[in-house]
Amino acid sequence: MLLERTTVLRAVDEAAAAAGGGSMLLVTGPTGIGRTTLLDELARRASDQDVRALRAVGTPSEQDFVLGIVTQLFDSVVRQAPVNIRRGWFAGAAADTQWLFSGGSPVMSTGLRPHFLEGLRALVAAICRQQPLLLLVDDLQHADDASLTFLSYLARRLNGLAVTVVATLPSGHALYSPTRLRETTNAADRMLELGPLSLSGVAAAVRYVFGTEGDPEFVRVCHSVSGGIPLFLLPSLWELADEGRKPSAEEALAFPRLRPEPLRERLAQLVLWLPERLRRCATAVALLDGSARAGLIAPLTGLDTSNSAAALTAMEQLGLVETEPTGVRPDGSPCPSAKRTRFRHSMLQEAFIDALSDERYEELHLKAARLLLAHGHAVEEAAEHLLLTTSPMSRSLRTALRTAAKTALDRGASHTSARYLRRALADTEEDPGALVERPALLSDLAVAESRFAPHAADRHLRQALALLKTPYEQFEVLVRFAPYWCVDEATVAELMQSFTDDDGRAPGARGGRPPMWLAARHESLGWGADHAAKSLERLTGLGPQVPVDTWAERQMAAVLLRSVTAAGLLPRAEAVALAHRILASEMLSSPVHVSLPLLTSTLFMADEVDFLQAGLRTALQRMDPDDDIVARSIALGLHAWTSAAQGNLVAARTSAEESLATADRLHPTAGPAFTALMMVALESRDLGLARQLREEIRLHTSQIHEYRLAPGGFPVLADMFRGMAADLAGDPSTALAVLRRCGRRVEHVDGPVAGLQVAWRPWAARQYVRLHDTAAAMELVDEDLRIAEAWGAPKFIGRALRMRATLVGGREALALAESSVETLEHSHNQLELARSLVSLGQLLREAGDLAQAETRLRRGHDLAVQCGAHWAATRAESEMEFFPQRGARQPLTGTQRTVASWAAQGLTNRDIAKALGITSRAVEKHLTAVYRKLLVTTRSDLRSVLSPDEMVDPPADPAQPPEPRGHVT
């Protein structure tokens, strides 16, 4: 197939038809432009025009064969000619050439004397008298010198001969051609340049291969990737067609990734056939990749500057590479002197790399790294070359890798940083003298891995610590890590003892005093009433303005604050104020996982999480989901915890599950998410979730029971699930025993406010009521109320008032319920408010105040649905059955209809949010409005109340939502 070559074909026809004799034409063009295909077409046309076409191809392997091109052209026609005709051809001057076609061996010193050259011309003249000749020579640059001498001789003596010579050679060969090739090309009558295919030419090629028009986007991509060069276009098109694929917009994405085997073989041959200088230069460009600049290419190839520049120019004319400016002038225009070279097609680069031996590949990459460093390039550019080697390297190169790792980490590329450090560490294993570098490299690696691979970070941190001799050296390493990476009590105790035994020479440890961050870590491991009292003493000793400027100060303040808060030893207002001070400083200067987990626990108990939740949302928006995996997982877990503190069980579960989907579930960094899920399971009375969590805690307690984020620790909360299961199964005796044991354990470990957090007394009081021991139930509820009022958190006070209202009757119960609602109006927990509203509505109904009862019940119902507490919503519905039905359902807006329809068809809130381009929280609000308008309470009810006309097809791609089938206002 020949496309867009009409001009060249016409020129050859005109040359052949010209009066007065023959002519020689040279056809040039970049690599892969289709010079051979053009000669194929000329040969085919010659047979139709009664012209004898003779062909020869130059190859590097045949350049040593004297007169090889001449023999290829004429040997077959001479041998096939009848004897009498052949005798006539070799009459006269041509007789001196007959030995060439009878197996003789020419001698350069005598064979190419003028009479021999004239003899060959006479032979050509004799042959063309019988029939016009078209001599086609492909890849003239690979022709042997003797043949070039003859072609040059013939080109100057074609007058009067019916001979047209068409020779091809790639662009750029004039820059490095030997003398005889230049003489031959100078003798040509005309030079014809083949250019790349246009966009319409590529479209025609697509139509020819597939038999159908190509999608405009497919054609555009094919033209862009191939550059209009047939060599890079046609093999890929044929591969797609052979696989039965279509030239569609979707397949356009696949075209740049295609690597057809015929093209790979052709490029491998190209590499071998290039002159040595060009091959060395191209190899340097391939290895340097984006750093391929003239100042680096020359020393990497070993060529001098002028030869390297000439080779680069030839490669550009050959169509192998192109240069692009990398700098700009003050006016913003490109700076011509600052240029880099790159291959026009990625497969060219791959071909030159593949041609290297393993030894040469390593040698050149090490050399490239040294050159980049010596020329002041970014250290990461050199590091990328070192990653591709396995050979031993110098200490300076390992230092460069470590510097590159720090640079990568600073810009947020933790995976890349870890790759550099692993390479440097691997090199120290081969060099005994480099063992001294291992602790620093291991700790650097652990820091990078702490963002995405916490268990690997733990392992490498421990390896680094084992190689260090003094407490101060260990301190220098550990100070770079959040508390999760010094997790076990034994390690902390050992470090504390080391500092105590130290003679004080180490900075930061004078007088045997450990650094504050380590003291804070040790403090966090304590528990019990005595420990809480000491924490209060130490917190008070820090002064009225507790210092929170450094992360170590914030860590110490957060540890002490959490301890005294759980024990109820500090006024709630003071605890909240200090927590907010720490939080404000933390958000400005620290990673999310230093003090926030402890602050979340404190503010949860204080019923003050709104400011914290806003800060977490901001932190999540700033994080790179692909790099800050650990920090993002922790932030999502803490966000889930704050959602649970607000009573929003749906949002809490969504955030917690998203956290665990990206986290290492067996590492302490999963603690916040597990804590939130446990709270969701208890609040929602979800036995399935409880069983799943309990089993996970049982199997992996040693890995994730850390830092006691959960009140009493994860095993205690997991045990509470047994009490919940017994309660729901109607076994109050077992439930009571389990709940009392868990509650007392929580308060023994953390304190009475932590006991309020797990709500064990309300659960236990319920069991006493079932066992007909109201007095014991009242005693627990009153105790809960006393602790709550002393602490002052509205959530706990309102809950205790509601529980007390269920145990008394008459007007006192109604007054307690109203007080509970009034108190919870000041709480951030909407679920507790919903439950108290439903209880108040029930009491009002029983008292005959139906209007007020309905108002409270409907509001409580809507809040319960919004929180995802459908059991509470069901209780409100059962109460509202006593009221007459009022009117039909309300119409939905277009967005509400879409959300309702997709929810009914099984899409998750996250899927719906992605499809509509809104947040999951907005989806929750839409669903709350939908439930209210349609008079339903759950997702499963939606399909039964939505008519077929109201259903909207779910999107095939969530990013492209379908149009609704109708319009509903």
Side-chain angles (χ1 to χ4, degrees), residues 24 91 167 170 194 212 316 347 383 488 592 611 646 675 749 802 890 905 963:
M24 180 175 180
L194 298 182
T212 184
E316 190 166 3
M347 285 191 70
D488 62 282
V592 71
F611 178 54
Q646 294 171 329
T675 302
V749 170
R802 181 181 69 247
Q890 301 173 44
Q905 295 175 72
E963 294 293 329

Side-chain angles (χ1 to χ4, degrees), residues 514-553:
M516 181 177 286
W517 70 268
L518 183 58
R521 184 66 189 90
H522 188 257
E523 189 81 24
S524 71
L525 298 173
W527 54 273
D530 290 343
H531 174 75
K534 291 178 181 177
S535 294
L536 178 61
E537 181 181 348
R538 185 160 187 175
L539 185 63
T540 304
L542 294 176
Q545 281 293 104
V546 176
V548 294
D549 294 328
T550 69
W551 75 267
E553 290 172 341

Side-chain angles (χ1 to χ4, degrees), residues 549-591:
D549 294 328
T550 69
W551 75 267
E553 290 172 341
R554 290 191 294 274
Q555 185 65 23
M556 176 60 80
V559 168
L560 297 174
L561 180 60
R562 196 265 179 189
S563 177
V564 299
T565 296
L569 300 181
L570 192 70
R572 172 176 169 271
E574 292 183 26
V576 171
L578 178 54
H580 283 173
R581 278 189 61 226
I582 301 171
L583 180 61
S585 179
E586 185 92 328
M587 285 299 192
L588 287 174
S589 56
S590 286

Side-chain angles (χ1 to χ4, degrees), residues 732-749:
S733 297
T734 300
L736 180 61
V738 173
L739 291 166
R740 285 183 65 88
R741 180 178 70 243
C742 291
R744 297 305 182 191
R745 175 61 181 167
V746 168
E747 295 189 353
H748 178 65
V749 170

Side-chain angles (χ1 to χ4, degrees), residues 62-70 108 112 117 140-152 178-181 183-184:
E62 296 183 2
Q63 279 185 299
D64 293 333
F65 287 90
V66 179
L67 293 170
I69 294 295
V70 173
M108 286 296 295
L112 292 184
L117 294 174
L140 184 66
Q141 74 277 9
H142 295 313
D144 61 279
D145 284 349
S147 293
L148 288 172
T149 299
F150 169 68
L151 289 173
S152 177
T179 302
R180 285 193 175 87
L181 179 59
E183 291 174 354
T184 305

Side-chain angles (χ1 to χ4, degrees), residues 458 462 483-489 491-492 521 525 667-668 706:
D458 284 341
R462 293 177 190 282
Y484 290 110
W485 277 273
C486 185
V487 296
D488 62 282
E489 191 167 353
T491 301
V492 175
R521 184 66 189 90
L525 298 173
H667 194 268
E706 195 280 337

Side-chain angles (χ1 to χ4, degrees), residues 54 170 193 218 224 448 476 554 616 647 944 951:
L54 304 178
E193 181 80 19
F218 180 84
S224 173
E476 286 291 291
R554 290 191 294 274
L616 287 169
S944 63
M951 298 299 282

